Amino acid sequence: MTGEPVRSARSAPERLLAVLAAFDHAHPALSLTDISRRAGLSLTTAHRLVHALTTWGALERDDDGVYHVGLRLWEVAALAPRGLALRQVALPYLEDLYEATHENVQLAVRDGAQVVYIEWLSGRSAVGVHIRVGARWPLHATGVGLALLAHGDPGFQEEYCTGPLTSFTPYTITDPAHLRRTLAEVRRTGAAVSNRQITDDALSVASAVRGAGGAVVAAVSVVVPQESAQVPVLIPAVRLAARGISRALGWRPDRADA
């Protein structure tokens, strides 16, 4: 057998996507050699694909010959209904929540077993918030993740609960039975509380956002210092923001919800 069977087996679209996937929050700027190595492509193939992507505007090359993600991708991303379109609808309610709390405010959606943050308003508190737009975290370890998981398909919930639950602090939920009880409480109260699961100084309160058909499409949360958190005060504020976004998306509660 000759050549590189794993690399050559990939189709042209897969190789093109591998170039884009070489960029992430830890690697926002890459040389052509870096792209070739991270994408698992020969330098010749990487050069050809990078040139095509740069010509189209998906990548941009600076004066030092280093490549960055281009604005053309931002324009395309703006069309995503779960991305910037959702953010535009939600932003006034996120700003209201920020004005009411002056704390870190987030909006997130679920992508498989992870939560993806699509908006973040930075608060005054110096808590260890490891959040930025586009960041991903496991569902069980964040307030928004718990809110989204609690309203997910029961089969998916059970599969998630029995899978590996990554620990980030001594307080991260890693016991399946504990996670099931937590999700039941989220459904009962309409709010998720994540206490010191990612960092040992932060607490988040989250609530689910519903679309026009009633399905949960996102979650909104506020992150505050754990030692001074006033959870009974935060829960109504977060639920109000989630309800406002839901209504703006076309959701109308039935009589039972009201």
PDB file of all heavy atoms in Angstrom, residues 223-256:
ATOM      1  N   VAL A 223     -24.805  34.687  35.050  1.00  0.00           N
ATOM      2  CA  VAL A 223     -23.732  34.090  35.846  1.00  0.00           C
ATOM      3  C   VAL A 223     -23.248  35.112  36.853  1.00  0.00           C
ATOM      4  O   VAL A 223     -22.899  36.246  36.483  1.00  0.00           O
ATOM      5  CB  VAL A 223     -22.562  33.625  34.958  1.00  0.00           C
ATOM      6  CG1 VAL A 223     -21.452  32.998  35.807  1.00  0.00           C
ATOM      7  CG2 VAL A 223     -23.046  32.630  33.919  1.00  0.00           C
ATOM      8  N   VAL A 224     -23.216  34.720  38.125  1.00  0.00           N
ATOM      9  CA  VAL A 224     -22.901  35.637  39.226  1.00  0.00           C
ATOM     10  C   VAL A 224     -21.871  35.002  40.148  1.00  0.00           C
ATOM     11  O   VAL A 224     -21.655  33.784  40.113  1.00  0.00           O
ATOM     12  CB  VAL A 224     -24.170  35.981  40.023  1.00  0.00           C
ATOM     13  CG1 VAL A 224     -25.229  36.591  39.120  1.00  0.00           C
ATOM     14  CG2 VAL A 224     -24.720  34.737  40.715  1.00  0.00           C
ATOM     15  N   PRO A 225     -21.230  35.798  41.017  1.00  0.00           N
ATOM     16  CA  PRO A 225     -20.337  35.216  42.021  1.00  0.00           C
ATOM     17  C   PRO A 225     -21.108  34.291  42.956  1.00  0.00           C
ATOM     18  O   PRO A 225     -22.175  34.658  43.459  1.00  0.00           O
ATOM     19  CB  PRO A 225     -19.797  36.435  42.771  1.00  0.00           C
ATOM     20  CG  PRO A 225     -19.960  37.574  41.826  1.00  0.00           C
ATOM     21  CD  PRO A 225     -21.212  37.278  41.051  1.00  0.00           C
ATOM     22  N   GLN A 226     -20.606  33.114  43.174  1.00  0.00           N
ATOM     23  CA  GLN A 226     -21.318  32.121  43.972  1.00  0.00           C
ATOM     24  C   GLN A 226     -21.562  32.595  45.401  1.00  0.00           C
ATOM     25  O   GLN A 226     -22.634  32.376  45.964  1.00  0.00           O
ATOM     26  CB  GLN A 226     -20.534  30.799  43.968  1.00  0.00           C
ATOM     27  CG  GLN A 226     -21.254  29.632  44.618  1.00  0.00           C
ATOM     28  CD  GLN A 226     -21.038  29.569  46.126  1.00  0.00           C
ATOM     29  OE1 GLN A 226     -20.038  30.101  46.624  1.00  0.00           O
ATOM     30  NE2 GLN A 226     -21.961  28.940  46.841  1.00  0.00           N
ATOM     31  N   GLU A 227     -20.587  33.260  45.983  1.00  0.00           N
ATOM     32  CA  GLU A 227     -20.677  33.617  47.402  1.00  0.00           C
ATOM     33  C   GLU A 227     -21.739  34.668  47.692  1.00  0.00           C
ATOM     34  O   GLU A 227     -22.244  34.753  48.809  1.00  0.00           O
ATOM     35  CB  GLU A 227     -19.325  34.118  47.903  1.00  0.00           C
ATOM     36  CG  GLU A 227     -18.829  35.368  47.198  1.00  0.00           C
ATOM     37  CD  GLU A 227     -17.467  35.819  47.702  1.00  0.00           C
ATOM     38  OE1 GLU A 227     -16.838  35.068  48.471  1.00  0.00           O
ATOM     39  OE2 GLU A 227     -17.041  36.934  47.329  1.00  0.00           O
ATOM     40  N   SER A 228     -22.122  35.465  46.673  1.00  0.00           N
ATOM     41  CA  SER A 228     -23.131  36.505  46.898  1.00  0.00           C
ATOM     42  C   SER A 228     -24.397  36.283  46.079  1.00  0.00           C
ATOM     43  O   SER A 228     -25.234  37.179  45.973  1.00  0.00           O
ATOM     44  CB  SER A 228     -22.544  37.884  46.566  1.00  0.00           C
ATOM     45  OG  SER A 228     -22.126  37.937  45.205  1.00  0.00           O
ATOM     46  N   ALA A 229     -24.543  35.104  45.504  1.00  0.00           N
ATOM     47  CA  ALA A 229     -25.690  34.827  44.628  1.00  0.00           C
ATOM     48  C   ALA A 229     -27.003  34.852  45.399  1.00  0.00           C
ATOM     49  O   ALA A 229     -27.119  34.226  46.451  1.00  0.00           O
ATOM     50  CB  ALA A 229     -25.511  33.471  43.957  1.00  0.00           C
ATOM     51  N   GLN A 230     -27.974  35.568  44.864  1.00  0.00           N
ATOM     52  CA  GLN A 230     -29.323  35.611  45.422  1.00  0.00           C
ATOM     53  C   GLN A 230     -30.247  34.877  44.451  1.00  0.00           C
ATOM     54  O   GLN A 230     -30.966  35.483  43.669  1.00  0.00           O
ATOM     55  CB  GLN A 230     -29.764  37.051  45.640  1.00  0.00           C
ATOM     56  CG  GLN A 230     -28.880  37.828  46.603  1.00  0.00           C
ATOM     57  CD  GLN A 230     -29.364  39.247  46.835  1.00  0.00           C
ATOM     58  OE1 GLN A 230     -30.553  39.562  46.670  1.00  0.00           O
ATOM     59  NE2 GLN A 230     -28.455  40.120  47.200  1.00  0.00           N
ATOM     60  N   VAL A 231     -30.208  33.564  44.541  1.00  0.00           N
ATOM     61  CA  VAL A 231     -30.926  32.720  43.587  1.00  0.00           C
ATOM     62  C   VAL A 231     -32.428  33.024  43.538  1.00  0.00           C
ATOM     63  O   VAL A 231     -33.002  33.111  42.449  1.00  0.00           O
ATOM     64  CB  VAL A 231     -30.671  31.232  43.887  1.00  0.00           C
ATOM     65  CG1 VAL A 231     -31.513  30.342  42.981  1.00  0.00           C
ATOM     66  CG2 VAL A 231     -29.187  30.917  43.718  1.00  0.00           C
ATOM     67  N   PRO A 232     -33.117  33.196  44.683  1.00  0.00           N
ATOM     68  CA  PRO A 232     -34.564  33.483  44.612  1.00  0.00           C
ATOM     69  C   PRO A 232     -34.893  34.772  43.864  1.00  0.00           C
ATOM     70  O   PRO A 232     -35.999  34.914  43.324  1.00  0.00           O
ATOM     71  CB  PRO A 232     -34.963  33.595  46.089  1.00  0.00           C
ATOM     72  CG  PRO A 232     -33.945  32.804  46.830  1.00  0.00           C
ATOM     73  CD  PRO A 232     -32.667  33.046  46.087  1.00  0.00           C
ATOM     74  N   VAL A 233     -33.945  35.716  43.821  1.00  0.00           N
ATOM     75  CA  VAL A 233     -34.156  36.963  43.088  1.00  0.00           C
ATOM     76  C   VAL A 233     -33.829  36.778  41.606  1.00  0.00           C
ATOM     77  O   VAL A 233     -34.504  37.336  40.733  1.00  0.00           O
ATOM     78  CB  VAL A 233     -33.278  38.092  43.682  1.00  0.00           C
ATOM     79  CG1 VAL A 233     -33.419  39.370  42.851  1.00  0.00           C
ATOM     80  CG2 VAL A 233     -33.662  38.352  45.129  1.00  0.00           C
ATOM     81  N   LEU A 234     -32.813  35.983  41.322  1.00  0.00           N
ATOM     82  CA  LEU A 234     -32.369  35.800  39.941  1.00  0.00           C
ATOM     83  C   LEU A 234     -33.332  34.958  39.117  1.00  0.00           C
ATOM     84  O   LEU A 234     -33.526  35.212  37.924  1.00  0.00           O
ATOM     85  CB  LEU A 234     -30.982  35.152  39.923  1.00  0.00           C
ATOM     86  CG  LEU A 234     -29.835  35.981  40.480  1.00  0.00           C
ATOM     87  CD1 LEU A 234     -28.571  35.145  40.560  1.00  0.00           C
ATOM     88  CD2 LEU A 234     -29.602  37.218  39.626  1.00  0.00           C
ATOM     89  N   ILE A 235     -33.931  33.945  39.735  1.00  0.00           N
ATOM     90  CA  ILE A 235     -34.807  33.033  38.986  1.00  0.00           C
ATOM     91  C   ILE A 235     -35.948  33.771  38.283  1.00  0.00           C
ATOM     92  O   ILE A 235     -36.157  33.584  37.070  1.00  0.00           O
ATOM     93  CB  ILE A 235     -35.340  31.910  39.894  1.00  0.00           C
ATOM     94  CG1 ILE A 235     -34.210  30.909  40.194  1.00  0.00           C
ATOM     95  CG2 ILE A 235     -36.519  31.191  39.244  1.00  0.00           C
ATOM     96  CD1 ILE A 235     -34.619  29.783  41.130  1.00  0.00           C
ATOM     97  N   PRO A 236     -36.721  34.632  38.965  1.00  0.00           N
ATOM     98  CA  PRO A 236     -37.804  35.330  38.248  1.00  0.00           C
ATOM     99  C   PRO A 236     -37.289  36.220  37.124  1.00  0.00           C
ATOM    100  O   PRO A 236     -37.932  36.326  36.076  1.00  0.00           O
ATOM    101  CB  PRO A 236     -38.470  36.159  39.352  1.00  0.00           C
ATOM    102  CG  PRO A 236     -38.089  35.503  40.634  1.00  0.00           C
ATOM    103  CD  PRO A 236     -36.726  34.956  40.411  1.00  0.00           C
ATOM    104  N   ALA A 237     -36.132  36.854  37.322  1.00  0.00           N
ATOM    105  CA  ALA A 237     -35.585  37.740  36.291  1.00  0.00           C
ATOM    106  C   ALA A 237     -35.195  36.955  35.053  1.00  0.00           C
ATOM    107  O   ALA A 237     -35.478  37.370  33.916  1.00  0.00           O
ATOM    108  CB  ALA A 237     -34.383  38.499  36.847  1.00  0.00           C
ATOM    109  N   VAL A 238     -34.563  35.807  35.246  1.00  0.00           N
ATOM    110  CA  VAL A 238     -34.141  34.993  34.110  1.00  0.00           C
ATOM    111  C   VAL A 238     -35.349  34.382  33.411  1.00  0.00           C
ATOM    112  O   VAL A 238     -35.417  34.339  32.173  1.00  0.00           O
ATOM    113  CB  VAL A 238     -33.162  33.897  34.571  1.00  0.00           C
ATOM    114  CG1 VAL A 238     -32.819  32.955  33.414  1.00  0.00           C
ATOM    115  CG2 VAL A 238     -31.888  34.522  35.132  1.00  0.00           C
ATOM    116  N   ARG A 239     -36.307  33.915  34.176  1.00  0.00           N
ATOM    117  CA  ARG A 239     -37.516  33.349  33.573  1.00  0.00           C
ATOM    118  C   ARG A 239     -38.264  34.397  32.767  1.00  0.00           C
ATOM    119  O   ARG A 239     -38.808  34.097  31.698  1.00  0.00           O
ATOM    120  CB  ARG A 239     -38.418  32.760  34.661  1.00  0.00           C
ATOM    121  CG  ARG A 239     -37.884  31.490  35.302  1.00  0.00           C
ATOM    122  CD  ARG A 239     -38.835  30.937  36.329  1.00  0.00           C
ATOM    123  NE  ARG A 239     -40.128  30.601  35.736  1.00  0.00           N
ATOM    124  CZ  ARG A 239     -41.183  30.184  36.431  1.00  0.00           C
ATOM    125  NH1 ARG A 239     -41.090  30.052  37.747  1.00  0.00           N
ATOM    126  NH2 ARG A 239     -42.303  29.877  35.820  1.00  0.00           N
ATOM    127  N   LEU A 240     -38.298  35.631  33.257  1.00  0.00           N
ATOM    128  CA  LEU A 240     -38.972  36.714  32.539  1.00  0.00           C
ATOM    129  C   LEU A 240     -38.279  36.988  31.208  1.00  0.00           C
ATOM    130  O   LEU A 240     -38.942  37.177  30.180  1.00  0.00           O
ATOM    131  CB  LEU A 240     -38.981  37.979  33.395  1.00  0.00           C
ATOM    132  CG  LEU A 240     -39.704  39.194  32.790  1.00  0.00           C
ATOM    133  CD1 LEU A 240     -41.190  38.894  32.606  1.00  0.00           C
ATOM    134  CD2 LEU A 240     -39.517  40.425  33.682  1.00  0.00           C
ATOM    135  N   ALA A 241     -36.949  36.985  31.221  1.00  0.00           N
ATOM    136  CA  ALA A 241     -36.213  37.207  29.978  1.00  0.00           C
ATOM    137  C   ALA A 241     -36.482  36.079  28.986  1.00  0.00           C
ATOM    138  O   ALA A 241     -36.715  36.327  27.794  1.00  0.00           O
ATOM    139  CB  ALA A 241     -34.721  37.309  30.272  1.00  0.00           C
ATOM    140  N   ALA A 242     -36.459  34.842  29.462  1.00  0.00           N
ATOM    141  CA  ALA A 242     -36.721  33.699  28.587  1.00  0.00           C
ATOM    142  C   ALA A 242     -38.131  33.756  28.022  1.00  0.00           C
ATOM    143  O   ALA A 242     -38.355  33.451  26.843  1.00  0.00           O
ATOM    144  CB  ALA A 242     -36.514  32.399  29.358  1.00  0.00           C
ATOM    145  N   ARG A 243     -39.057  34.150  28.853  1.00  0.00           N
ATOM    146  CA  ARG A 243     -40.452  34.245  28.389  1.00  0.00           C
ATOM    147  C   ARG A 243     -40.606  35.350  27.339  1.00  0.00           C
ATOM    148  O   ARG A 243     -41.315  35.184  26.352  1.00  0.00           O
ATOM    149  CB  ARG A 243     -41.364  34.500  29.582  1.00  0.00           C
ATOM    150  CG  ARG A 243     -42.836  34.291  29.306  1.00  0.00           C
ATOM    151  CD  ARG A 243     -43.639  34.503  30.582  1.00  0.00           C
ATOM    152  NE  ARG A 243     -45.052  34.224  30.395  1.00  0.00           N
ATOM    153  CZ  ARG A 243     -45.630  33.050  30.546  1.00  0.00           C
ATOM    154  NH1 ARG A 243     -44.880  32.008  30.876  1.00  0.00           N
ATOM    155  NH2 ARG A 243     -46.909  32.878  30.372  1.00  0.00           N
ATOM    156  N   GLY A 244     -39.905  36.462  27.541  1.00  0.00           N
ATOM    157  CA  GLY A 244     -39.968  37.551  26.571  1.00  0.00           C
ATOM    158  C   GLY A 244     -39.401  37.149  25.221  1.00  0.00           C
ATOM    159  O   GLY A 244     -39.987  37.452  24.175  1.00  0.00           O
ATOM    160  N   ILE A 245     -38.263  36.459  25.232  1.00  0.00           N
ATOM    161  CA  ILE A 245     -37.671  35.997  23.979  1.00  0.00           C
ATOM    162  C   ILE A 245     -38.600  34.996  23.300  1.00  0.00           C
ATOM    163  O   ILE A 245     -38.798  35.036  22.078  1.00  0.00           O
ATOM    164  CB  ILE A 245     -36.293  35.357  24.245  1.00  0.00           C
ATOM    165  CG1 ILE A 245     -35.337  36.377  24.853  1.00  0.00           C
ATOM    166  CG2 ILE A 245     -35.704  34.806  22.942  1.00  0.00           C
ATOM    167  CD1 ILE A 245     -34.048  35.774  25.362  1.00  0.00           C
ATOM    168  N   SER A 246     -39.178  34.096  24.090  1.00  0.00           N
ATOM    169  CA  SER A 246     -40.102  33.104  23.535  1.00  0.00           C
ATOM    170  C   SER A 246     -41.280  33.766  22.840  1.00  0.00           C
ATOM    171  O   SER A 246     -41.666  33.371  21.721  1.00  0.00           O
ATOM    172  CB  SER A 246     -40.599  32.175  24.649  1.00  0.00           C
ATOM    173  OG  SER A 246     -39.538  31.481  25.262  1.00  0.00           O
ATOM    174  N   ARG A 247     -41.851  34.749  23.467  1.00  0.00           N
ATOM    175  CA  ARG A 247     -42.981  35.460  22.851  1.00  0.00           C
ATOM    176  C   ARG A 247     -42.547  36.185  21.578  1.00  0.00           C
ATOM    177  O   ARG A 247     -43.282  36.212  20.591  1.00  0.00           O
ATOM    178  CB  ARG A 247     -43.583  36.445  23.849  1.00  0.00           C
ATOM    179  CG  ARG A 247     -44.420  35.782  24.938  1.00  0.00           C
ATOM    180  CD  ARG A 247     -45.079  36.833  25.831  1.00  0.00           C
ATOM    181  NE  ARG A 247     -46.008  36.249  26.776  1.00  0.00           N
ATOM    182  CZ  ARG A 247     -47.286  35.971  26.500  1.00  0.00           C
ATOM    183  NH1 ARG A 247     -47.768  36.244  25.303  1.00  0.00           N
ATOM    184  NH2 ARG A 247     -48.072  35.438  27.409  1.00  0.00           N
ATOM    185  N   ALA A 248     -41.346  36.758  21.594  1.00  0.00           N
ATOM    186  CA  ALA A 248     -40.844  37.452  20.411  1.00  0.00           C
ATOM    187  C   ALA A 248     -40.622  36.478  19.254  1.00  0.00           C
ATOM    188  O   ALA A 248     -40.702  36.864  18.084  1.00  0.00           O
ATOM    189  CB  ALA A 248     -39.550  38.185  20.747  1.00  0.00           C
ATOM    190  N   LEU A 249     -40.360  35.224  19.584  1.00  0.00           N
ATOM    191  CA  LEU A 249     -40.186  34.194  18.562  1.00  0.00           C
ATOM    192  C   LEU A 249     -41.507  33.617  18.077  1.00  0.00           C
ATOM    193  O   LEU A 249     -41.526  32.768  17.182  1.00  0.00           O
ATOM    194  CB  LEU A 249     -39.303  33.059  19.111  1.00  0.00           C
ATOM    195  CG  LEU A 249     -37.836  33.399  19.349  1.00  0.00           C
ATOM    196  CD1 LEU A 249     -37.136  32.238  20.053  1.00  0.00           C
ATOM    197  CD2 LEU A 249     -37.123  33.731  18.041  1.00  0.00           C
ATOM    198  N   GLY A 250     -42.605  34.049  18.679  1.00  0.00           N
ATOM    199  CA  GLY A 250     -43.920  33.596  18.247  1.00  0.00           C
ATOM    200  C   GLY A 250     -44.596  32.616  19.168  1.00  0.00           C
ATOM    201  O   GLY A 250     -45.717  32.170  18.894  1.00  0.00           O
ATOM    202  N   TRP A 251     -43.957  32.257  20.299  1.00  0.00           N
ATOM    203  CA  TRP A 251     -44.561  31.308  21.234  1.00  0.00           C
ATOM    204  C   TRP A 251     -45.709  31.973  21.970  1.00  0.00           C
ATOM    205  O   TRP A 251     -45.621  33.129  22.396  1.00  0.00           O
ATOM    206  CB  TRP A 251     -43.515  30.822  22.230  1.00  0.00           C
ATOM    207  CG  TRP A 251     -44.076  29.965  23.345  1.00  0.00           C
ATOM    208  CD1 TRP A 251     -44.500  28.693  23.250  1.00  0.00           C
ATOM    209  CD2 TRP A 251     -44.241  30.350  24.709  1.00  0.00           C
ATOM    210  NE1 TRP A 251     -44.924  28.231  24.470  1.00  0.00           N
ATOM    211  CE2 TRP A 251     -44.770  29.237  25.389  1.00  0.00           C
ATOM    212  CE3 TRP A 251     -43.994  31.524  25.423  1.00  0.00           C
ATOM    213  CZ2 TRP A 251     -45.062  29.265  26.748  1.00  0.00           C
ATOM    214  CZ3 TRP A 251     -44.274  31.561  26.770  1.00  0.00           C
ATOM    215  CH2 TRP A 251     -44.803  30.434  27.422  1.00  0.00           C
ATOM    216  N   ARG A 252     -46.797  31.247  22.112  1.00  0.00           N
ATOM    217  CA  ARG A 252     -47.949  31.715  22.885  1.00  0.00           C
ATOM    218  C   ARG A 252     -48.331  30.617  23.878  1.00  0.00           C
ATOM    219  O   ARG A 252     -48.703  29.517  23.462  1.00  0.00           O
ATOM    220  CB  ARG A 252     -49.132  32.042  21.965  1.00  0.00           C
ATOM    221  CG  ARG A 252     -48.868  33.211  21.035  1.00  0.00           C
ATOM    222  CD  ARG A 252     -48.700  34.520  21.797  1.00  0.00           C
ATOM    223  NE  ARG A 252     -48.436  35.638  20.911  1.00  0.00           N
ATOM    224  CZ  ARG A 252     -47.229  36.073  20.579  1.00  0.00           C
ATOM    225  NH1 ARG A 252     -46.162  35.432  21.029  1.00  0.00           N
ATOM    226  NH2 ARG A 252     -47.071  37.098  19.779  1.00  0.00           N
ATOM    227  N   PRO A 253     -48.251  30.909  25.165  1.00  0.00           N
ATOM    228  CA  PRO A 253     -48.576  29.874  26.153  1.00  0.00           C
ATOM    229  C   PRO A 253     -50.046  29.513  26.099  1.00  0.00           C
ATOM    230  O   PRO A 253     -50.907  30.363  25.864  1.00  0.00           O
ATOM    231  CB  PRO A 253     -48.218  30.534  27.481  1.00  0.00           C
ATOM    232  CG  PRO A 253     -48.358  32.007  27.209  1.00  0.00           C
ATOM    233  CD  PRO A 253     -47.938  32.204  25.790  1.00  0.00           C
ATOM    234  N   ASP A 254     -50.327  28.214  26.304  1.00  0.00           N
ATOM    235  CA  ASP A 254     -51.732  27.827  26.394  1.00  0.00           C
ATOM    236  C   ASP A 254     -52.238  28.150  27.790  1.00  0.00           C
ATOM    237  O   ASP A 254     -51.496  28.640  28.651  1.00  0.00           O
ATOM    238  CB  ASP A 254     -51.910  26.340  26.055  1.00  0.00           C
ATOM    239  CG  ASP A 254     -51.114  25.433  26.963  1.00  0.00           C
ATOM    240  OD1 ASP A 254     -50.805  25.842  28.118  1.00  0.00           O
ATOM    241  OD2 ASP A 254     -50.787  24.314  26.547  1.00  0.00           O
ATOM    242  N   ARG A 255     -53.458  27.830  28.073  1.00  0.00           N
ATOM    243  CA  ARG A 255     -54.056  28.210  29.343  1.00  0.00           C
ATOM    244  C   ARG A 255     -53.342  27.552  30.513  1.00  0.00           C
ATOM    245  O   ARG A 255     -53.142  28.151  31.574  1.00  0.00           O
ATOM    246  CB  ARG A 255     -55.543  27.845  29.370  1.00  0.00           C
ATOM    247  CG  ARG A 255     -56.279  28.307  30.605  1.00  0.00           C
ATOM    248  CD  ARG A 255     -57.777  28.193  30.423  1.00  0.00           C
ATOM    249  NE  ARG A 255     -58.237  29.021  29.311  1.00  0.00           N
ATOM    250  CZ  ARG A 255     -59.498  29.079  28.928  1.00  0.00           C
ATOM    251  NH1 ARG A 255     -60.428  28.362  29.527  1.00  0.00           N
ATOM    252  NH2 ARG A 255     -59.859  29.864  27.922  1.00  0.00           N
ATOM    253  N   ALA A 256     -52.895  26.296  30.325  1.00  0.00           N
ATOM    254  CA  ALA A 256     -52.211  25.592  31.395  1.00  0.00           C
ATOM    255  C   ALA A 256     -50.886  26.286  31.719  1.00  0.00           C
ATOM    256  O   ALA A 256     -50.521  26.439  32.875  1.00  0.00           O
ATOM    257  CB  ALA A 256     -51.959  24.153  31.004  1.00  0.00           C
TER     258      ALA A 256
END
